Amino acid sequence: MSMAFQGNKSFSVETPRNEEYGSEYDDDGRIKRTGTWVTASAHIVTAVIGSGVLSLAWAFAQLGWIAGPIILITFSLITLYTSFLLCDCYRYPDPVNGKRSHNYMEMVKNILGGTKHKLSGLAQYANLVGVSIGYTITASISMVAIKRSNCFHKYGHDAECHTSNYPFMTIFGIVQILLSQIPDFHELSFLSIIAAVMSFGYAIIGVCLSIARIAEGHHVETSLTGLQVGVDVTSSEKLWNTSQALGNMAFAYGFSMVIVEIEDTLRSNPPENKEMKKASSVGVFITTVFYMSCGILGYAAFGNKAPGNFLTGFGFYEPYWLVDIGNVFIVIHLVGAYQVFAQPIFTLVENWCKKRWPNSNFMSKEYHINIPMIGIFKLNFLRFIWRTLFVVFTTVVAIILPFFNSVVGLLGAITFWPLTVYFPIEMYLVQAKVPKYSPTWIGLKMLSMFCLLVTLFAGVGSIEGIVMDLKKFKPFTE
């Protein structure tokens, strides 16, 4: 297909390719995309900054002042670099005019061929399901923290303020059933922007509370190497904690499993890969600033006794109303983040069903229902039933296994290397036709091997955490 150039600055890919479909459609026959680097950045921030940002003080306590910041920066740079590789692989074989890949699995199939796309799909969707369950648990913990915060304020910090997580998991699930009816990523931008703002909100609250605690002059023990063997922990505990802290940092930047779906929302001009690189840079930079702030200031405030999460773990009790606001922000953020991670799963099943039964009204027909004061609600029976069942499933699993965050950590350990490092590198080597054994080829392979070793180390720590959780687990007593 030809391209119409105007000097050396601009070009058009839409007009020639859209003649077959019309001006309202993109070159692949889908409704013209309208996303920009701003909306893509919001999706990335929503996906990356989770409530885990507030656990980085604990991670720094395990690693210390030297290794903590260095490891965090290292993984931010690795994630940014490999996301750039993925951005260039969105269209193949040419990064500007090639064929689109609508999701990660399709990208692997288009570029690498064979059965590798099935392995990438297994890793991607297993991780997405795990994260959805983990977010259900984490949101309920923040809801419980709000109730406990008010209880501690009223009755004192030593009061028994136990509250069950289960009702709050159910509430979160009901909200997700309603929001899951948003058809696709293209109509999810407003929710992502709200969620991104919320993530800034609770991260800033955590930072400000840490600064206030430091200013009060609390004496805390910190060190260059973190928790001291023989004083704070045993040698084996130090090893497992270091493993889990390393894993938390490596996987805290994980948005590769949704990056292709996010890039697929961008309009065609400017080229999607350039806009997505800009969005990735903004998203990773914002994330790193908040991660470093929460990690460093949180460690300075609490030292080697830093709680796992200083908003839900009650590193702070007062001002209780500010702690409550922070946890409300966490819940709102996770409401949006759940949808960002669930949308690829929704789309996968729905597209398969529509291809399997193309003439079924149940699969494809949409009914427009006018809801007063809200607007037109588009009802599709497949979407309504399937997405409701998915949300119910994730909620039930969260209720049955409330320690599932440890399992999510293992899923993250298993999928970090293939999704964030291995497949992006392998696809880029094919896309860019990098000569075998050239300096670039050797460098990328060494990076892949390094990240594989990190993944294995973190995976062992996650397994140990699951074993410990199982020893203490008592069903339906949380």
Side-chain angles (χ1 to χ4, degrees):
M1 300 218 175
S2 61
M3 291 172 51
F5 288 90
Q6 298 176 355
N8 293 322
K9 296 183 179 180
S10 62
F11 58 90
S12 172
V13 296
E14 291 300 319
T15 303
R17 288 195 250 175
N18 288 352
E19 290 177 352
E20 180 181 354
Y21 299 107
S23 59
E24 296 182 0
Y25 298 89
D26 274 326
D27 52 281
D28 59 349
R30 298 192 177 188
I31 296 293
K32 188 178 289 292
R33 297 156 175 83
T34 58
T36 66
W37 70 267
V38 176
T39 59
S41 298
H43 287 316
I44 292 171
V45 171
T46 301
V48 178
I49 300 183
S51 58
V53 64
L54 301 178
S55 69
L56 288 174
W58 177 88
F60 271 57
Q62 316 311 309
L63 300 170
W65 286 119
I66 298 177
I70 290 176
I71 291 173
L72 189 64
I73 293 294
T74 298
F75 284 117
S76 71
L77 294 176
I78 290 174
T79 301
L80 181 61
Y81 179 69
T82 57
S83 69
F84 279 9
L85 301 184
L86 277 173
C87 293
D88 283 335
C89 294
Y90 172 65
R91 287 183 181 269
Y92 178 77
D94 183 82
V96 176
N97 298 310
K99 178 183 177 182
R100 297 175 187 267
S101 295
H102 302 106
N103 54 63
Y104 197 112
M105 189 174 175
E106 183 179 326
M107 177 185 286
V108 176
K109 184 177 182 179
N110 289 341
I111 299 176
L112 299 181
T115 60
K116 289 184 177 180
H117 70 284
K118 295 181 180 178
L119 296 176
S120 70
L122 179 63
Q124 178 188 10
Y125 293 108
N127 200 352
L128 292 174
V129 173
V131 169
S132 300
I133 296 170
Y135 279 0
T136 303
I137 297 170
T138 307
S140 72
I141 291 173
S142 287
M143 294 180 199
V144 167
I146 295 171
K147 192 169 182 179
R148 294 184 67 201
S149 174
N150 293 321
C151 175
F152 287 133
H153 176 73
K154 185 175 181 180
Y155 298 107
H157 299 171
D158 296 325
E160 288 290 335
C161 293
H162 177 76
T163 302
S164 174
N165 290 17
Y166 300 128
F168 296 100
M169 291 183 189
T170 304
I171 293 172
F172 185 81
I174 292 172
V175 172
Q176 292 302 337
I177 288 175
L178 298 175
L179 291 177
S180 67
Q181 298 310 307
I182 297 174
D184 51 40
F185 257 123
H186 301 283
E187 299 184 36
L188 201 62
S189 296
F190 79 97
L191 189 60
S192 282
I193 291 173
I194 292 173
V197 171
M198 293 298 102
S199 66
F200 296 155
Y202 66 72
I204 290 172
I205 289 174
V207 167
C208 291
L209 289 174
S210 296
I211 293 174
R213 184 178 174 87
I214 296 169
E216 289 174 359
H218 289 280
H219 176 72
V220 295
E221 293 289 338
T222 64
S223 70
L224 295 178
T225 57
L227 297 181
Q228 298 180 30
V229 176
V231 178
D232 301 305
V233 290
T234 65
S235 57
S236 62
E237 288 174 338
K238 176 72 173 181
L239 177 64
W240 297 129
N241 289 351
T242 299
S243 169
Q244 292 177 25
L246 191 65
N248 286 345
M249 290 185 176
F251 313 130
Y253 286 95
F255 67 98
S256 58
M257 70 285 294
V258 293
I259 190 172
V260 182
E261 285 82 355
I262 293 175
E263 188 168 359
D264 195 45
T265 67
L266 296 176
R267 57 193 181 193
S268 301
N269 196 3
E272 300 94 346
N273 63 330
K274 292 185 178 179
E275 290 292 277
M276 196 61 194
K277 287 180 181 179
K278 186 188 299 184
S280 297
S281 299
V282 171
V284 172
F285 174 77
I286 291 174
T287 299
T288 303
V289 169
F290 278 99
Y291 280 4
M292 288 293 288
S293 299
C294 287
I296 291 175
L297 293 174
Y299 185 37
F302 295 101
N304 292 339
K305 295 183 179 180
N309 185 315
F310 52 60
L311 283 182
T312 63
F314 292 95
F316 304 105
Y317 288 93
E318 302 291 344
Y320 79 100
W321 55 269
L322 187 58
V323 175
D324 288 351
I325 291 174
N327 281 300
V328 169
F329 285 175
I330 291 174
V331 173
I332 297 174
H333 170 257
L334 291 177
V335 165
Y338 182 104
Q339 288 299 315
V340 169
F341 281 98
Q343 280 292 337
I345 306 173
F346 295 157
T347 303
L348 174 74
V349 173
E350 288 161 18
N351 286 345
W352 182 86
C353 289
K354 289 175 183 179
K355 289 181 180 179
R356 181 66 177 79
W357 297 282
N359 299 320
S360 171
N361 287 335
F362 179 85
M363 301 295 173
S364 58
K365 188 172 182 180
E366 292 202 352
Y367 301 88
H368 292 210
I369 302 174
N370 188 11
I371 302 177
M373 301 180 66
I374 295 180
I376 301 296
F377 173 69
K378 298 178 182 179
L379 174 65
N380 172 266
F381 287 116
L382 169 64
R383 182 167 63 233
F384 178 75
I385 294 174
W386 146 239
R387 297 187 180 192
T388 299
L389 289 175
F390 176 83
V391 175
V392 170
F393 168 76
T394 57
T395 305
V396 169
V397 173
I399 290 173
I400 294 174
L401 302 175
F403 61 89
F404 198 82
N405 277 341
S406 298
V407 179
V408 172
L410 178 60
L411 286 173
I414 294 173
T415 58
F416 167 75
W417 176 70
L419 294 178
T420 303
V421 182
Y422 174 74
F423 283 118
I425 286 177
E426 293 301 312
M427 288 189 290
Y428 176 78
L429 292 176
V430 174
Q431 169 91 315
K433 298 180 176 62
V434 177
K436 199 171 184 179
Y437 303 118
S438 65
T440 300
W441 187 92
I442 293 173
L444 289 174
K445 289 291 186 177
M446 290 178 64
L447 174 62
S448 182
M449 181 59 65
F450 167 75
C451 292
L452 173 60
L453 295 176
V454 171
T455 291
L456 293 175
F457 181 52
V460 172
S462 296
I463 293 173
E464 192 274 342
I466 292 172
V467 172
M468 297 303 294
D469 284 333
L470 285 172
K471 289 180 180 179
K472 299 180 293 184
F473 179 53
K474 296 180 180 179
F476 303 105
T477 58
E478 293 297 321

